[in-house]
């Protein structure tokens, strides 16, 4: 398995619009081979930003790469640069190979 995460620093004045944009978007992941799950996460609030993260689980690194090269990826990110910026800086990507997965 492979986990792809993006971290977003959101100024408090942009939080409501940022959340609305994420929670109201069209989801394309379900149609991509190798997709396992997605979580949209809210982290701690700091003085000048609130931390958010997207967390996507893939069957493999190759499945993740397939997503990044897919029509669904292009559709999901089609308007990313056309809207008012809501983040304090660019998102920070982190990718992880799963070495152990313990489930109930």
């Amino acid at each position: 398995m492979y986990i792809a995460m993006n971290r977003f620093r959101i100024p408090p004045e942009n939080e409501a619009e940022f959340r609305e944009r994420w929670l109201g978007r069209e989801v394309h992941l379900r149609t991509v081979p190798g997709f396992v799950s997605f979580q949209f996460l809210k982290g701690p609030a700091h003085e000048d930003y609130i931390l958010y993260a997207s967390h996507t689980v893939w069957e493999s690194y190759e499945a993740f790469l397939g997503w990044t090269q897919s029509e669904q990826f292009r559709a999901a990110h089609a308007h990313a640069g056309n809207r008012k910026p809501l983040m304090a800086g660019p998102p920070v990507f982190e990718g992880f190979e799963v070495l152990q997965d313990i489930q109930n």
Side-chain angles (χ1 to χ4, degrees):
M1 282 193 302
Y2 185 77
I3 296 175
M5 294 182 68
N6 281 292
R7 296 177 183 261
F8 309 95
R9 292 180 305 133
I10 308 303
E13 64 271 15
N14 294 342
E15 183 181 22
E17 189 175 348
F18 178 79
R19 285 175 66 143
E20 181 180 311
R21 196 177 283 182
W22 270 87
L23 296 173
R25 77 195 189 291
E26 184 178 353
V27 177
H28 299 273
L29 291 167
R30 289 186 189 99
T31 63
V32 180
F35 168 73
V36 175
S37 68
F38 174 84
Q39 294 79 36
F40 180 52
L41 310 169
K42 180 179 179 180
H46 299 269
E47 189 172 312
D48 55 345
Y49 69 91
I50 300 124
L51 183 64
Y52 279 84
S54 64
H55 178 270
T56 311
V57 180
W58 297 93
E59 288 178 356
S60 65
Y61 177 68
E62 291 73 24
F64 166 72
L65 286 181
W67 154 247
T68 65
Q69 298 165 7
S70 70
E71 287 298 321
Q72 295 95 323
F73 181 89
R74 283 189 278 288
H77 297 88
H79 302 292
N82 300 339
R83 298 179 178 173
K84 167 185 146 187
L86 301 175
M87 298 176 285
V92 176
F93 174 79
E94 297 173 314
F96 299 90
E97 177 185 353
V98 176
L99 300 178
Q100 185 178 43
D101 180 31
I102 300 172
Q103 297 185 23
N104 191 3

